[in-house]
Amino acid sequence: MPVRLACPDDAEILWEIRNQAIRHGCKNTYGIDIVMAWTPDQMPPGYRKAIAENPFYVAEAHGLGTPAATGYLESRGFKEIILSSTPNAFEFYKRNGFSLVKEGLYRSEMANADLHCMEMRCAL
């Protein structure tokens, strides 16, 4: 899959990819009310700006040129990646070189809930 930097024009499709990933991946981890509050259909006004101001990346469907996955990095020039993983994604990150630092709660204002997450670290 080719990877490229996202542009603000990608915002709507990236929001949809984000929501579908959370709705599918977290449906057995968090209650449906939390998942739906966390993934509103209406894209927040600041999302397009966040894409313009941060290094969002897009993995394109091979040969189609359409976004299939997305993610972003909050900083550059680092020696390790630290992330908060939902319980359903924990094994994926573990298989890909991340180790558990601690478990805890991550406050999601969008979901209006404290989400059980695992802080994980991977040296680069």
Side-chain angles (χ1 to χ4, degrees):
M1 293 183 126
V3 176
R4 65 172 173 80
L5 277 172
C7 64
D9 290 343
D10 295 320
E12 286 81 10
I13 186 105
L14 299 186
W15 184 254
E16 181 63 25
I17 290 169
R18 172 204 178 273
N19 282 355
Q20 292 306 317
I22 293 170
R23 288 175 184 172
H24 177 74
C26 296
K27 67 183 174 189
N28 296 322
T29 304
Y30 305 118
I32 189 67
D33 54 334
I34 290 174
V35 171
M36 295 311 291
W38 190 12
T39 59
D41 291 329
Q42 180 82 25
M43 183 180 74
Y47 191 68
R48 185 180 308 278
K49 182 178 179 191
I51 290 171
E53 294 177 355
N54 295 283
F56 270 77
Y57 290 89
V58 174
E60 295 180 339
H62 196 56
L64 300 177
T66 56
T70 184
Y72 78 98
L73 301 172
E74 292 182 25
S75 62
R76 298 167 222 175
F78 43 85
K79 295 181 178 166
E80 67 181 359
I81 296 174
I82 298 173
L83 57 80
S84 292
S85 169
T86 55
N88 56 292
F90 175 77
E91 290 299 326
F92 167 82
Y93 287 115
K94 190 174 168 186
R95 283 191 309 271
N96 286 282
F98 285 80
S99 59
L100 178 66
V101 175
K102 65 180 179 180
E103 291 188 47
L105 298 175
Y106 173 83
R107 182 69 188 166
S108 170
E109 293 306 321
M110 190 172 289
N112 192 28
D114 294 322
L115 306 176
H116 177 221
C117 290
M118 287 80 161
E119 184 177 312
M120 302 187 78
R121 173 177 295 155
C122 181
L124 300 176

